Amino acid sequence: MIGLIVRFVVSALVLLLVSWLVPGFEVSGFWGAVLTAIVIAIIGYLVELVFGEKISPQRRGITGFLVVAITIYLAQFIVPNYVSVTLLGALLAAVLVGVIDLFVPTQIKSKA
């Protein structure tokens, strides 16, 4: 449970950073970023359920990148008071989230 909370806090901080750096991507406040991170995680989970793990962002590639961009873009319709994204903003945010994820992973790694 603590790991899940840490994951969403880290994801929210990443969204705040991306919001500060990317034009066309705005998140209002820390709690708005937490809510947006939860919505993005749920959408990503549902996409993986429908299309399988090969489409997940962890598999990277152009398909994973597009899934992240579309997920970010769709989040604004679910939490419109907390996030605002243009199409270009979603694409740029997806690139930046991918780069940040290389250094600060938001996914909890299992010990296998």
Side-chain angles (χ1 to χ4, degrees):
M1 184 63 162
I2 295 293
L4 187 63
I5 292 169
V6 169
R7 176 181 175 203
F8 284 119
V9 168
V10 169
S11 295
L13 292 173
V14 168
L15 287 175
L16 286 171
L17 177 65
V18 170
S19 174
W20 185 67
L21 294 172
V22 173
F25 180 80
E26 296 178 26
V27 177
S28 61
F30 177 74
W31 293 110
V34 170
L35 184 58
T36 303
I38 291 169
V39 167
I40 289 172
I42 291 169
I43 293 172
Y45 176 75
L46 294 174
V47 167
E48 282 188 26
L49 278 179
V50 172
F51 295 106
E53 280 190 18
K54 290 183 179 185
I55 201 164
S56 78
Q58 287 73 29
R59 302 288 185 243
R60 298 293 175 223
I62 190 71
T63 304
F65 164 75
L66 290 174
V67 167
V68 171
I70 291 168
T71 300
I72 290 170
Y73 188 75
L74 289 176
Q76 73 177 330
F77 300 111
I78 297 170
V79 286
N81 297 331
Y82 297 103
V83 65
S84 172
V85 185
T86 64
L87 192 55
L88 180 59
L91 292 170
L92 293 173
V95 169
L96 194 53
V97 165
V99 169
I100 292 171
D101 193 42
L102 289 173
F103 300 102
V104 183
T106 57
Q107 199 71 332
I108 297 171
K109 309 288 186 215
S110 64
K111 296 178 183 178

